[in-house]
Amino acid sequence: MNAQHRLCEMPRPCTITTGIVRAGLAGIGLALVLGFALPIPVPASAETVRAGYADSAIGTLVIVRIDGVQERLQGTGQIPLYEGDVLRTDAGSQAVVKFKEGVKVALNEDTSLKILSRWVKDQPLTRIIRMSRGEVWVTTLGEGPFQFEVETPVATAAIEGTEFDLKVQEDGQSILTVVSGIVKFGTAFGTCPIKPGTISYGVRGKKCTKPVPTDVMKSLEWTKAVK
């Protein structure tokens, strides 16, 4: 049953330039650490860039557009997502979103993230979700390469055909648990390749910790209702 409820709809302005500027400033430092080329903004088209869609929600997923307009998803539906959108779940709510890059992301309760991107001249766009709080489960769909990163206040996780859980605590400390594939987990002080079945911590002012074995299924218990 489609229980999608939209509060309102308005003409949507182009958000490409905003995304380039914000993602570029925030991502340059970590891009250097992760060994990426520096982003070089290219002229944006006049068309709105669609990033993917909100697929389902247990409770309510709030989508805040760049112009301040809010939409809400309850149950199943396909609400388009655009660069610059902020997604929020409150206590008791979870949601699933899917991106054009072939990446599926589940949001745990009390999670907030923003959709951004980074352009590098002559290379594909890199999709970025910037988390300010909460927890996400990320998995790739199909074959890569996947130009996709998850940023937190202290670290970045770059995807290479993988499945992982990433949690951001109140102090910004980020906890990465990798289920499959390799994740390049970096802070401003260094990068750690994290292998399946291990956990690593990204702490402000330090390099990510050495990965150690962990019970990945325990970390994924919260995803049972939304997978």
Side-chain angles (χ1 to χ4, degrees):
M1 177 182 69
N2 188 336
Q4 171 181 327
H5 174 63
R6 300 186 181 191
L7 294 180
C8 54
E9 293 183 350
M10 295 176 61
R12 203 178 318 285
C14 175
T15 63
I16 300 173
T17 302
T18 299
I20 291 173
V21 172
R22 295 181 179 177
L25 292 174
I28 286 175
L30 288 176
L32 288 170
V33 173
L34 293 171
F36 300 144
L38 285 173
I40 301 174
V42 296
S45 71
E47 298 179 354
T48 300
V49 176
R50 181 169 173 170
Y53 62 91
D55 182 73
S56 61
I58 297 173
T60 303
L61 172 66
V62 180
I63 305 165
V64 184
R65 306 298 190 186
I66 196 169
D67 54 9
V69 173
Q70 294 189 11
E71 296 190 36
R72 297 173 187 269
L73 175 64
Q74 297 172 328
T76 59
Q78 291 197 356
I79 297 182
L81 298 176
Y82 299 90
E83 184 161 338
D85 287 350
V86 174
L87 311 184
R88 295 200 309 254
T89 55
D90 55 16
S93 295
Q94 297 178 331
V96 172
V97 299
K98 295 181 179 178
F99 290 92
K100 292 170 56 178
E101 289 74 20
V103 179
K104 179 180 177 180
V105 177
L107 289 70
N108 200 357
E109 61 181 358
D110 197 22
T111 293
S112 179
L113 61 84
K114 188 170 188 176
I115 300 172
L116 298 169
S117 64
R118 181 176 65 245
W119 275 268
V120 176
K121 188 176 181 180
D122 299 327
Q123 292 188 21
L125 174 148
T126 297
R127 181 68 58 201
I128 298 170
I129 58 174
R130 179 174 296 165
M131 294 177 59
S132 57
R133 68 172 191 272
E135 184 172 18
V136 295
W137 167 76
V138 180
T139 188
T140 53
L141 307 171
E143 298 183 357
F146 301 95
Q147 303 294 327
F148 200 94
E149 298 173 16
V150 182
E151 290 184 0
T152 76
V154 302
T156 294
I159 291 175
E160 294 182 1
T162 188
E163 177 183 357
F164 65 85
D165 182 271
L166 184 58
K167 184 175 183 178
V168 178
Q169 298 185 330
E170 291 185 0
D171 61 358
Q173 177 172 277
S174 305
I175 306 171
L176 174 69
T177 303
V178 178
V179 181
S180 64
I182 303 294
V183 177
K184 293 172 66 177
F185 192 39
T187 70
F189 294 85
T191 302
C192 309
I194 310 302
K195 298 180 180 179
T198 64
I199 188 171
S200 176
Y201 297 81
V203 182
R204 194 181 303 278
K206 297 181 180 179
K207 184 179 179 180
C208 45
T209 64
K210 182 179 179 180
V212 296
T214 189
D215 181 356
V216 297
M217 298 311 298
K218 185 176 181 179
S219 299
L220 298 182
E221 285 183 353
W222 69 270
T223 67
K224 291 181 179 178
V226 291
K227 275 185 175 179

